[in-house]
Amino acid sequence: MACFFRRVIAAKVGQSLQQPEDMFTAALTAVPVLKKQQTADFRLSIRSLRHSGVLPSTEDIQLQTEQLANQLKPDSVVEEISTGRDLIKFKINRQLLAQKMLEPFGKGGDDKFGLNSELFKSLKRGTTLVEYSSPNIAKKFHAGHLRSTIIGNFIANLKQSLGNNVIRMNYLGDWGMQFGLLGAGFDQFGSVEKLKQNPLQHLFEVYVQVNKEAENNEDIKQAARDFFRQLEQGESHAVSLWQQFREITVSEYQQVYKRLGVHFDVYCGESFHQDRAHEVVQQLRSQGLLKTSEKGTGVVDLSPNRDMSSVCTLLRSDGTSLYITRDVAAAVNRKEKYNFDEMIYVTDKSQENHFSQLFQILSAMGHSWADSCRHVSFGLVKGMKTRTGEVVFLEDVLDEARARMLHNMSQTNTTKELDNPDDTAEKVGITALIVQDFKGPLLSDYRFDWNQMLQAQGDTGVFLQYTHARLCSLLQRNEDMEAVTFNPSLLPEQTSISILQHLLRYDEVLYQSVQDLQPKHLVNFLLKLCHLIASAHKELPVKGSPEAVAQARSRLFIGARSVLANGMKILGITPVAKM
């Protein structure tokens, strides 16, 4: 695998510079594959060595590059050494490249490929708590929560694959003034019968109606405030209604999560922390951090000069808690309960200021672990509509993705006889949604485009699934060519070499992904792999080739399929074997 070659080259450089080989692994990277063009396999950045103090930064950089390259001699592993601008390039013995990269696939797939790389030695393992999705109770699952759900799922999968103990938490919006409105609204406009027939749709209708009425009706606003105060005080009617809304919603959400292939270890809500919120308020008071504003609200001064120019409100003037008060209580409780090493919140970028304030308040309270809390933010999806118009609910999007995909599959001659076409269309449709979302930087807004998203050609989720299914079909037809051993000298073609070179980058891509928690690195790596596999399909036939050649090619395709499937699973995609 890549780590074998990286270690050999690092040892060679270390010997020349009389330094331990660990100093050079980070400066060594696999060379990205260029189309139809021979390239070296690894490159050593001289600039990186100067930056880390291994080489003096005052000398001429190109002269340093040439001098070091001249000290390094080819051997049985590295057959060619050359220089570029500030770089030393290494070309691996082609036979050894094939042997080492494809060795792990002697018994079929290898779900640990690339995960034991020395690149990950520096990572802190431990307990990672990821809070994501976090929809609001008593509302249907809004399409706007899709991004938090799939991004959080990717982060949890990635951390878990690299050996972290991951706690997947769904922090439900199940408290706050909106429940005052909904409770008061249900008492006026609600129907127990309609609630049984179509629970979330009815609650949604009630919520829309009461909001409209409240705009010009002070009595309804007061009723909402009264209901929420009764809820905070534990009054039985208010609590019973709230519990009913919560159970109905969680049950319906779980159906949507099942479709997305997403699961949670913990369903928690703001309600759980409302009592602790009062303790937090007392603690902030005793520490002298909570001040009373002119309006009578409870605030914490976050301004650098402590001049109240930047404050965060934690208490309303009537003494009820706010969202951030409960978030502070929740963070403290999670640290006590799970003793996490890091906590990651996944929400849209409009909440960046909220989390900045949250982390500042935790620090001010003396919680040094606030530094291990991180907010991963993302941009908005624009233009997400179904055929019926503006979309509101995620189920509508999933239904439409499945229906459109089913239609597209029925129009192509290559579609295989499927046991469950609906299930395949669902999985491929969801893959298309995920890949469209993950291709660019998370912070960027993007325009939702049904036609582009569902194309079979180009850089789409459909192309990923099609490539995986095609590999499954190829290997199934040539099962008799799968052998425990293979002859690596029978993969000399540039098409084979390009796939092997690309696989060298897999651990680097995962390492880059875990640094910035951006899925785009892995998505683009897999899409590139699919393009290389498409070329290999045309140029490296298995059927009709001499047996030893067919076995070697079969091993190459097994390795490519395994890495493709592993990467897809980390992204939160279920690979299909037929489509």
Side-chain angles (χ1 to χ4, degrees):
M1 288 194 281
C3 48
F4 168 80
F5 299 116
R6 215 182 270 114
R7 276 197 299 270
V8 169
I9 298 168
K12 187 186 277 288
V13 177
Q15 206 172 358
S16 278
L17 294 174
Q18 297 181 318
Q19 298 271 10
E21 64 181 67
D22 290 357
M23 302 281 290
F24 305 102
T25 45
L28 273 168
T29 54
V31 177
V33 174
L34 297 171
K35 203 173 181 184
K36 301 286 185 189
Q37 198 174 326
Q38 291 190 25
T39 57
D41 304 300
F42 284 93
R43 59 192 178 192
L44 177 70
S45 164
I46 302 302
R47 198 170 290 281
S48 174
L49 297 186
R50 285 159 64 104
H51 184 69
S52 60
V54 174
L55 290 175
S57 56
T58 50
E59 294 179 18
D60 180 89
I61 191 167
Q62 201 54 40
L63 191 62
Q64 286 176 319
T65 306
E66 301 293 344
Q67 283 174 344
L68 180 54
N70 289 335
Q71 290 172 41
L72 304 170
K73 302 301 175 202
D75 55 24
S76 58
V77 178
V78 178
E79 63 179 29
E80 201 177 289
I81 299 169
S82 58
T83 59
R85 192 176 170 190
D86 312 343
L87 296 169
I88 300 177
K89 301 175 185 177
F90 303 87
K91 182 182 176 185
I92 303 297
N93 174 294
R94 291 298 173 238
Q95 197 167 323
L96 195 61
L97 178 67
Q99 183 188 324
K100 288 291 180 187
M101 293 307 290
L102 300 177
E103 238 170 16
F105 306 107
K107 293 178 182 174
D110 176 13
D111 57 5
K112 295 291 178 205
F113 181 86
L115 297 179
N116 298 317
S117 167
E118 71 280 349
L119 292 180
F120 305 126
K121 276 184 188 171
S122 62
L123 296 180
K124 286 181 183 171
R125 304 294 200 299
T127 298
T128 300
L129 192 153
V130 189
E131 182 206 290
Y132 58 108
S133 195
S134 306
N136 294 315
I137 290 298
K139 294 181 182 178
K140 285 193 85 168
F141 201 126
H142 194 278
H145 287 285
L146 173 66
R147 290 206 85 182
S148 174
T149 307
I150 59 177
I151 293 164
N153 191 46
F154 156 72
I155 292 169
N157 292 344
L158 178 65
K159 290 280 185 180
Q160 197 167 330
S161 71
L162 295 176
N164 290 50
N165 169 39
V166 175
I167 298 160
R168 300 160 184 261
M169 180 176 281
N170 197 340
Y171 185 58
L172 302 166
D174 66 353
W175 208 249
M177 196 50 80
Q178 74 267 28
F179 283 95
L181 268 172
L182 188 64
F186 194 80
D187 283 344
Q188 288 200 35
F189 312 116
S191 153
V192 176
E193 196 55 46
K194 284 183 181 176
L195 192 65
K196 284 177 187 168
Q197 288 167 1
N198 194 346
L200 284 193
Q201 185 60 38
H202 181 53
L203 290 180
F204 176 70
E205 286 162 0
V206 168
Y207 190 71
V208 169
Q209 191 173 356
V210 73
N211 262 296
K212 197 174 178 183
E213 294 284 332
E215 281 174 17
N216 304 309
N217 189 328
E218 198 52 47
D219 290 345
I220 286 187
K221 285 181 188 172
Q222 188 55 48
R225 285 191 287 271
D226 291 344
F227 189 94
F228 183 54
R229 193 162 49 250
Q230 287 162 15
L231 193 55
E232 285 217 303
Q233 289 164 357
E235 192 273 320
S236 60
H237 167 69
V239 170
S240 166
L241 203 56
W242 169 83
Q243 278 176 333
Q244 199 179 350
F245 294 164
R246 192 182 194 281
E247 284 162 17
I248 284 167
T249 317
V250 171
S251 172
E252 289 222 9
Y253 283 173
Q254 283 173 331
Q255 297 306 310
V256 179
Y257 291 132
K258 191 175 177 185
R259 290 180 71 177
L260 286 169
V262 170
H263 72 278
F264 293 93
D265 301 309
V266 184
Y267 279 89
C268 185
E270 290 178 66
S271 58
F272 181 77
H273 302 290
Q274 52 127 343
D275 291 336
R276 291 293 297 267
H278 297 301
E279 290 174 31
V280 163
V281 168
Q282 293 308 320
Q283 192 180 342
L284 286 165
R285 259 202 193 105
S286 67
Q287 290 178 305
L289 294 168
L290 193 73
K291 319 276 185 192
T292 304
S293 73
E294 291 174 2
K295 296 176 183 174
T297 56
V299 300
V300 172
D301 183 8
L302 297 176
S303 53
N305 301 322
R306 296 288 175 260
D307 58 4
M308 301 287 279
S309 58
S310 172
V311 298
C312 177
T313 306
L314 277 90
L315 274 183
R316 291 190 184 89
S317 55
D318 65 0
T320 54
S321 61
L322 277 88
Y323 184 73
I324 194 158
T325 329
R326 297 186 286 276
D327 257 1
V328 174
V332 173
N333 175 258
R334 290 171 194 176
K335 184 63 181 176
E336 288 170 5
K337 188 171 182 179
Y338 301 108
N339 194 26
F340 58 76
D341 296 285
E342 62 175 340
M343 177 158 61
I344 300 166
Y345 297 86
V346 185
T347 73
D348 71 71
K349 60 187 177 186
S350 69
Q351 294 197 43
E352 281 175 355
N353 187 51
H354 169 85
F355 285 103
S356 171
Q357 291 183 331
L358 171 63
F359 302 155
Q360 285 180 70
I361 291 167
L362 290 169
S363 283
M365 291 173 77
H367 298 301
S368 57
W369 49 264
D371 292 343
S372 63
C373 298
R374 182 172 179 180
H375 177 220
V376 174
S377 56
F378 53 83
L380 304 175
V381 184
K382 296 178 176 177
M384 195 184 259
K385 300 176 186 176
T386 58
R387 286 193 176 92
T388 54
E390 287 292 337
V391 68
V392 178
F393 306 130
L394 181 58
E395 276 178 289
D396 299 333
V397 178
L398 299 185
D399 289 347
E400 181 138 352
R402 180 180 58 199
R404 285 178 183 248
M405 199 59 235
L406 203 56
H407 173 75
N408 290 2
M409 283 161 54
S410 70
Q411 301 299 303
T412 59
N413 303 326
T414 53
T415 300
K416 303 282 183 288
E417 286 296 318
L418 300 170
D419 297 333
N420 189 340
D422 276 33
D423 182 61
T424 301
E426 170 105 315
K427 288 189 172 89
V428 178
I430 286 169
T431 305
L433 279 168
I434 290 173
V435 170
Q436 177 173 250
D437 195 285
F438 283 1
K439 276 198 299 185
L442 291 181
L443 262 177
S444 299
D445 299 342
Y446 75 88
R447 184 150 292 283
F448 189 86
D449 186 326
W450 280 111
N451 295 329
Q452 198 176 347
M453 181 180 95
L454 294 171
Q455 280 177 5
Q457 277 83 37
D459 290 344
T460 64
V462 182
F463 179 49
L464 279 190
Q465 288 283 22
Y466 172 73
T467 304
H468 183 268
R470 197 175 174 197
L471 283 172
C472 289
S473 173
L474 171 79
L475 293 167
Q476 195 178 7
R477 288 196 311 271
N478 297 283
E479 257 178 324
D480 53 334
M481 289 302 153
E482 291 183 26
V484 178
T485 59
F486 75 106
N487 184 345
S489 69
L490 298 175
L491 293 170
E493 304 86 357
Q494 186 53 42
T495 316
S496 306
I497 302 299
S498 292
I499 289 177
L500 297 170
Q501 287 179 315
H502 192 60
L503 296 184
L504 283 172
R505 292 190 59 236
Y506 185 58
D507 60 350
E508 292 177 16
V509 166
L510 294 181
Y511 182 73
Q512 196 178 5
S513 303
V514 84
Q515 296 301 310
D516 63 9
L517 302 181
Q518 296 276 332
K520 64 178 180 177
H521 312 300
L522 184 53
V523 167
N524 293 320
F525 171 87
L526 295 178
L527 288 167
K528 175 80 173 176
L529 178 60
C530 288
H531 286 293
L532 295 171
I533 291 166
S535 298
H537 264 296
K538 291 177 200 160
E539 296 167 30
L540 304 174
V542 176
K543 202 175 183 69
S545 296
E547 187 174 354
V549 173
Q551 284 175 345
R553 289 175 178 176
S554 181
R555 177 67 70 93
L556 178 71
F557 286 124
I558 288 168
R561 178 185 64 177
S562 181
V563 174
L564 176 58
N566 295 347
M568 288 167 80
K569 287 171 191 168
I570 290 173
L571 291 171
I573 293 167
T574 305
V576 299
K578 281 183 180 180
M579 66 177 276

